[in-house]
Amino acid sequence: MIQIRSPKECCGCTACAEICRHGAISMIPDTYGFPYPILDQSKCVDCGMCDKVCPILNKLRPRYPLASYAFMHKDQSIRKKSSTAGAFVALSENILSKGGVVFGCAFDTDWSVKHIYIENKDELAQLVGSKYLQSRIEGSFKDCRSFLKEGRYVLFSGTPCQIAGLKNYLGKDYDTLLCVDLICHGVPAPRIWQKYLRYREQKKSHEVGRELFVNSVNFRDKSKGWAAYSLSLSFADKSGHTYKVPSLCWNEDPYMLSFIRHLNMRPSCFHCRFRNQRSRSDITIGDYWGYAEAYPEVIDDKIGVNALIVNTEKGRLCLNEIDFDGFESSYENIVKGNPQLMRSHWTHVNQGKFLQQVYTRDFKELVMDCLKLSLFQKIISKTCTLYMLYIR
């Protein structure tokens, strides 16, 4: 039976709960909204299936990609709407054109994130765009298996740990399954995201003198350019009147700062078992940070360029079916801009303080306070970084 001795030993992929035929395992969120498996021993028959599918208990081998690319969708309008350059859209369009199904994460009514599936292009907009918090799987592994058994093509996208969990859950490879994972920075806490939204709602409500609610979220607003990493929100009152506010670059917005500086991430993300292409995905996609320095002859149009990494022959065959702008790239150049492909991030020295006080203090004030480091803390931080870079 599954036993979690430490939070860092569970990535929240839900494979254990999905595989249990007796309903003995439930994914219950902790104080910060991270789901963990809770066992009902009265229902457990000790079959051991939960242990067999856990991607952390069953260590995966590192891989080296078959090929790597700088990728840009042919349609400029799709590039502008996408977080980066439309790689996910292009891969999804290919699967949907075959009568297939695409799984990905979408916003729920309260701006939390859950996995859903779509079956036509008109629904694809729900899945497009980055969502920087942990998504709820909610039966998607079971739905995926059902579609595969029907012989349908399926694209399943998610974080590396979610892909590893899905692959273990399925227990075998399917020719019609394309797994796409992300170059993952880590997953922030869902309930801290909700705390941030209330902070922003209260701030804007006070400014306009009436109660407002968030009515749109864009984690990668490109109004200031792709590289600005901007978060934008808009608000509405009860009558439906909307209020737009300027987008904030990552270093101006307290939520993005708490994410980029590792204050609000899941404990297992600091000990990630899925770096070095261990997730067994067919294709990995993300931002191609640093491509302009690596390839100065390429014109930077500020819209964005995807890094696309082909991990399997199936992934290569799928990419061959897609017409795209771009060029083959060095994997090492992609890693330079995305070191998280190879190593986990260090835990911020003030993460404990942030988590202890996040529900009692002003959100922005707390983030800024935690990012002010003493000389001693700076030394510790630098030492941790060097350890991650050269020793671990």
Side-chain angles (χ1 to χ4, degrees):
M1 65 183 71
I2 199 80
Q3 292 183 338
I4 308 299
R5 293 182 295 272
S6 167
K8 70 180 182 182
E9 295 179 352
C10 176
C11 60
C13 73
T14 79
C16 57
E18 295 273 302
I19 202 69
C20 183
R21 297 178 181 178
H22 306 280
I25 300 175
S26 301
M27 299 302 295
I28 305 299
D30 69 1
T31 303
Y32 309 106
F34 292 125
Y36 287 92
I38 301 299
L39 179 68
D40 183 344
Q41 292 192 354
S42 67
K43 297 179 180 179
C44 179
V45 297
D46 204 19
C47 65
M49 289 303 297
C50 52
D51 287 336
K52 290 179 182 178
V53 300
C54 176
I56 287 184
L57 289 179
N58 301 279
K59 294 183 179 181
L60 302 169
R61 294 181 179 180
R63 300 178 301 174
Y64 192 84
L66 301 182
S68 303
Y69 295 88
F71 182 104
M72 293 164 280
H73 198 287
K74 282 282 189 181
D75 189 330
Q76 285 268 39
S77 65
I78 289 176
R79 285 184 64 202
K80 290 178 180 177
K81 293 176 184 176
S82 300
S83 290
T84 310
F88 172 73
V89 173
L91 295 168
S92 299
E93 289 173 333
N94 183 50
I95 294 295
L96 293 172
S97 71
K98 300 176 181 181
V101 183
V102 175
F103 285 80
C105 61
F107 284 117
D108 208 343
T109 53
D110 63 351
W111 301 109
S112 61
V113 172
K114 63 179 180 180
H115 259 68
I116 65 169
Y117 65 84
I118 63 164
E119 299 182 74
N120 61 73
K121 283 181 65 174
D122 294 338
E123 301 173 300
L124 188 53
Q126 298 177 73
L127 307 184
V128 174
S130 299
K131 288 97 177 175
Y132 295 128
L133 58 156
Q134 186 160 32
S135 65
R136 307 188 306 274
I137 293 296
E138 295 192 340
S140 289
F141 289 180
K142 294 175 183 176
D143 292 335
C144 178
R145 183 174 60 184
S146 295
F147 286 124
L148 291 169
K149 286 185 174 181
E150 292 173 6
R152 297 182 68 177
Y153 283 94
V154 174
L155 185 156
F156 198 102
S157 64
T159 59
C161 55
Q162 288 173 334
I163 298 300
L166 171 67
K167 299 281 278 191
N168 282 4
Y169 169 83
L170 294 174
K172 69 172 188 177
D173 198 16
Y174 288 82
D175 292 339
T176 55
L177 172 64
L178 183 75
C179 287
V180 179
D181 66 354
L182 312 171
I183 299 176
C184 184
H185 184 83
V187 290
R191 286 182 178 167
I192 292 179
W193 165 245
Q194 293 295 325
K195 162 73 175 178
Y196 165 79
L197 291 180
R198 304 293 85 78
Y199 156 77
R200 290 293 302 272
E201 285 175 343
Q202 292 168 9
K203 184 177 178 182
K204 189 63 180 177
S205 297
H206 179 75
E207 180 183 316
V208 301
R210 66 184 65 182
E211 188 176 17
L212 300 180
F213 307 92
V214 172
N215 78 331
S216 73
V217 176
N218 185 348
F219 277 105
R220 295 295 295 275
D221 186 303
K222 293 184 178 180
S223 60
K224 297 180 180 179
W226 162 62
Y229 228 86
S230 300
L231 169 63
S232 67
L233 305 176
S234 66
F235 303 85
D237 59 24
K238 292 180 180 179
S239 69
H241 182 77
T242 58
Y243 300 80
K244 292 186 178 181
V245 296
S247 63
L248 297 173
C249 298
W250 72 269
N251 56 353
E252 300 171 324
D253 180 81
Y255 181 79
M256 293 301 289
L257 274 169
S258 69
F259 169 49
I260 297 296
R261 298 304 187 201
H262 325 141
L263 288 170
N264 64 358
M265 293 204 302
R266 188 180 182 103
S268 61
C269 295
F270 300 112
H271 309 272
C272 181
R273 307 289 177 86
F274 311 101
R275 310 291 179 189
N276 292 281
Q277 311 306 110
R278 285 184 171 93
S279 74
R280 291 178 292 165
S281 67
D282 299 296
I283 290 176
T284 300
I285 58 176
D287 296 288
Y288 199 146
W289 301 119
Y291 84 93
E293 291 77 15
Y295 303 97
E297 68 277 10
V298 179
I299 297 174
D300 184 2
D301 59 10
K302 309 299 182 183
I303 301 176
V305 175
N306 273 121
L308 188 148
I309 302 165
V310 177
N311 300 312
T312 65
E313 191 59 37
K314 189 196 304 183
R316 192 201 299 274
L317 292 173
C318 179
L319 189 63
N320 287 342
E321 297 174 344
I322 296 172
D323 187 20
F324 64 95
D325 291 329
F327 50 89
E328 191 162 0
S329 165
S330 158
Y331 178 61
E332 285 72 23
N333 282 335
I334 292 175
V335 171
K336 284 180 183 177
N338 293 281
Q340 64 268 40
L341 279 165
M342 305 297 288
R343 68 176 192 275
S344 300
H345 296 289
W346 52 271
T347 307
H348 195 281
V349 293
N350 281 330
Q351 189 194 36
K353 174 181 177 179
F354 176 79
L355 295 177
Q356 289 171 5
Q357 301 181 20
V358 68
Y359 296 131
T360 59
R361 290 183 59 182
D362 176 87
F363 193 90
K364 183 177 181 179
E365 178 186 281
L366 175 60
V367 170
M368 302 313 294
D369 185 24
C370 288
L371 294 181
K372 293 177 182 177
L373 302 183
S374 66
L375 178 60
F376 179 67
Q377 289 175 321
K378 289 178 181 178
I379 293 172
I380 293 176
S381 178
K382 187 66 173 179
T383 302
C384 289
T385 301
L386 293 172
Y387 172 75
M388 291 292 188
L389 277 170
Y390 301 111
I391 301 175
R392 190 175 181 182

